[in-house]
Every structure is written in structure tokens, then in C-alpha cells.
Amino acid sequence: MKITDLLNKETLSLSFEVFPPKTEASFDSVKTATREIAKLRPLFMSVTYGAGGGTSKYTLDIAKDIKENFGVPSLAHLTCVSSTKETVGQKIEEIKAAGIKNIMALRGDIPSHLENADRSGWAYRHAVDLVRELKEADEDFCIGGACYPEVHPESENQKDDIKHLKEKVDAGCEFLTTQMFFDNNLLFNFLYKIREAGITVPVIPGIMPITNANQIERAIKLSGSFMPRRFVNLVDKFGSDPDAMKQAGIAYATDQIIDLYANGITNIHVYSMNKPDVAEKIQSNLSDILGK
Ligand code: FAD
């Protein structure tokens, strides 16, 4: 089932993101966690892809398991940065063989040792190159892309970032998922600007429940996200008490979701990070709203 055919226009739906194991030794525990999340029957589940190799070989195994054994539609991520045409071509064949139709087409972060490299000879410089290749490989793929309410860190300004986002959509990206954000106004402003720029595809906001203080530093480093005062106060108050921090982080994420839904947004992606308890708690906090 294509993600774009699943998206709800009227009622709230949650999807969850998981990541594949880093080593074969952790495969079983990751599989168990992703299966627990699948049992919550989200609208779909996305499985990330380790840029430059790493965990990439397990992405399809997990995506296939969720789809075939739990009937939950899966979205397999694929990155292209510093990859060869041969590697990406082979991955596309594997995706087809696994019967996966939904692909999140990403550039991936540039590995630190290549940050200053000459990129002119690279087979893939931006995600749009991968989007075009996927569309050529199979018209029927349903392709998603990433977008950044607070501007991608490499972009000079939001205008350029949105211009490139439009190119990605025009090349065949049928829906977008956002980078995490902690202030919903940033999302509302972003939506206004991209709609004005002629980007009309569905945008699924990505919500990251921050459940421990260490996660915050990592999240800011990765996304450059703005931390509203209300959120900073919460971390100051509860950061040193793991249970309280977890409860407060889940409450904050729940509150963000309720506010988004109250403002007309019906499909929300939760960065559940292989934590079934967090996914379950968010879902149960919203049980009457979700009708689950
Ligand atoms: P692009 O769309 O290529 O954009 C990257 C930068 O290049 C932007 O600044 C953009 O404005 C600019 N740009 C785009 N096209 C052009 C052009 N033609 N000319 C000049 N500049 C251009 N990483 C992983 O490794 N694995 C994952 O599974 C993964 N999943 C993610 C899921 C989501 C929802 C998000 C938001 C991010 C994810 N990432 C993942 C991180 C992502 O790979 C990085 O943020 C990466 O730096 C950019 O990827 P992109 O696909 O957005 O790139």
C-alpha cells in the first residue's frame, strides 16, 4: 500500500520510525523492539538507513518483517551520498525483490572525511538525483523526501532550501517528512512558505519525544533545532531524574501532537527510536483522540 493512499485527511494517525541494528549481534533485540511497535498498528513504520554502509543491510530485513508478519505498511529509507551507481542500482533491485513500494529518498549526511572533497565527480550530490533514479527504475514507487522547517544546516537561507525542495518534489517526491522541531510555530510558518512556493504534496511533521537528557545534545547537534524556553525549563527541572525526564518528554511530545492536530494536521510521524514503551505511552495518551 502506498503511503500517499494511506494518509488520513480527517482523523489523527500516527506513524513510527525505527532504526536497524548496528551489528548482527543486536539484530534479534532490534527485531523484537520493532515488532512491539508494529503491534500498536501505526499507519506505517519507517526504517532508517545508515549512510555510507553501516547498518544499511538490515533496513530491508526489518521493513519486510514489519510488512509481511504484522501487516503494517513499511517505508524503507535509502541514502545515496558517496555511493556509486552500481551500489544504488543493486539496492533498488533488492527493494523491488523485497516487495517494498515506499522509499524515503535521502542524500544522507556527508561523511566527515569527505566534507572538503571535490564533489564534482560524485554520482549523487543531492537527494533529487536519487529521486529521479528511483522514478526511472519503477514508476510505481511511492517516494518520500526530507524537509527542514528550520532550514537544512548546509543551506545559506530558507529561500534556497525551499527552491531545492521544490525541485525534489517536481522530480517525483510524493510526500515529505520533516526534521524534528520543538516549537510548532516553526512548522506552521514553514508550511505557509512552502505552499506559497507551490509545494502541494502532503507534509508529515516529525516529532521526537526527548526521553533523556543525553538525547538533547545529540538532537540539537543533528538537527540544529531551536529549543523553546518551555522545553529548556522542563529539561532543567527533570534532566537529572531519568524517570521524571522520560515522563515529561513524552508529555511534551504528546502536547505538540495535540496542538498540531487541533490546527488541522492529521498525519504525524513519531521518532520512536526503537522504544516500544515510548511509542505505546504516546499512543495511550492520545487513545480517545485516536479512537484506539
Ligand atoms: P538534500 O535534499 O539533497 O538536501 C541537502 C542540502 O542540499 C540542503 O541544504 C538542500 O537545500 C541542498 N540542495 C538540494 N538540492 C540542491 C541542488 N540541486 N543544488 C544545491 N543545493 C541543493 N540520514 C541517514 O543517513 N539515514 C536515514 O535514514 C535518514 N532519514 C532521515 C529522515 C528524515 C525525515 C530527515 C529529515 C532526515 C533523515 N536523514 C537520514 C538525515 C539526512 O540524510 C540529512 O539531513 C542530510 O544532510 C540531507 O539529506 P536530504 O535528503 O534532505 O538532502
Side-chain angles (χ1 to χ4, degrees):
M1 189 86 169
K2 288 187 174 194
I3 300 291
T4 44
D5 293 332
L6 288 170
L7 295 177
N8 267 314
K9 292 200 169 62
E10 305 290 334
T11 52
L12 178 65
S13 285
L14 300 183
S15 49
F16 293 123
E17 181 155 304
V18 295
F19 55 84
K22 289 196 169 49
T23 60
E24 201 169 342
S26 58
F27 186 83
D28 286 342
S29 65
V30 169
K31 192 164 163 181
T32 304
T34 57
R35 286 178 158 207
E36 288 303 311
I37 295 175
K39 285 181 196 161
L40 298 170
R41 312 227 37 87
L43 190 68
F44 68 87
M45 282 171 70
S46 69
V47 189
T48 65
Y49 186 93
T55 61
S56 59
K57 70 180 174 138
Y58 299 115
T59 298
L60 282 183
D61 293 342
I62 299 287
K64 208 170 163 219
D65 180 56
I66 293 163
K67 183 170 77 76
E68 289 181 359
N69 297 318
F70 292 85
V72 175
S74 54
L75 167 65
H77 291 206
L78 180 64
T79 66
C80 58
V81 69
S82 68
S83 288
T84 61
K85 288 270 177 194
E86 290 70 30
T87 323
V88 170
Q90 191 190 331
K91 281 285 161 198
I92 294 175
E93 289 311 312
E94 288 170 16
I95 289 170
K96 282 185 180 172
I100 306 271
K101 283 280 171 214
N102 300 300
I103 305 167
M104 188 71 169
L106 299 144
R107 186 198 67 182
D109 284 322
I110 312 275
S112 51
H113 69 283
L114 293 175
E115 259 165 24
N116 299 318
D118 173 14
R119 299 180 193 177
S120 55
W122 289 8
Y124 306 91
R125 290 163 71 183
H126 304 288
V128 66
D129 304 326
L130 179 60
V131 174
R132 290 196 184 106
E133 190 153 325
L134 285 165
K135 269 287 159 199
E136 266 171 38
D138 189 341
E139 259 297 310
D140 217 30
F141 278 147
C142 177
I143 302 170
C147 64
Y148 303 84
E150 296 177 71
V151 186
H152 186 274
E154 289 166 37
S155 279
E156 295 258 316
N157 55 57
Q158 192 167 45
K159 206 167 158 221
D160 280 357
D161 207 23
I162 291 178
K163 186 180 104 185
H164 296 310
L165 186 62
K166 172 100 171 52
E167 287 162 6
K168 198 155 68 173
V169 170
D170 289 346
C173 211
E174 290 164 72
F175 68 96
L176 299 165
T177 306
T178 76
Q179 180 61 282
M180 68 184 91
F181 56 91
F182 300 96
D183 178 347
N184 288 355
N185 285 326
L186 293 163
L187 191 267
F188 299 134
N189 285 335
F190 173 70
L191 286 179
Y192 177 78
K193 286 181 184 157
I194 64 167
R195 298 309 184 209
E196 213 179 21
I199 298 173
T200 57
V201 295
V203 175
I204 310 176
I207 296 295
M208 169 77 89
I210 297 286
T211 54
N212 66 66
N214 298 337
Q215 223 183 322
I216 297 158
E217 207 177 311
R218 217 170 47 240
I220 302 176
K221 198 167 160 235
L222 269 174
S223 66
S225 300
F226 165 68
M227 296 282 160
R229 172 49 54 193
R230 197 164 74 85
F231 189 76
V232 174
N233 287 347
L234 179 151
V235 177
D236 285 348
K237 180 84 179 164
F238 303 115
S240 56
D241 178 342
D243 290 343
M245 184 61 229
K246 188 169 171 184
Q247 194 167 46
I250 289 172
Y252 191 92
T254 306
D255 191 44
Q256 269 193 288
I257 295 172
I258 292 172
D259 180 58
L260 290 170
Y261 184 45
N263 282 283
I265 291 167
T266 45
N267 298 281
I268 294 171
H269 196 55
V270 179
Y271 292 114
S272 51
M273 311 283 290
N274 298 5
K275 292 178 186 154
D277 55 335
V278 173
E280 195 281 323
K281 190 71 191 142
I282 288 185
Q283 189 156 296
S284 68
N285 282 350
L286 296 163
S287 58
D288 287 340
I289 298 173
L290 287 164
K292 283 193 183 187

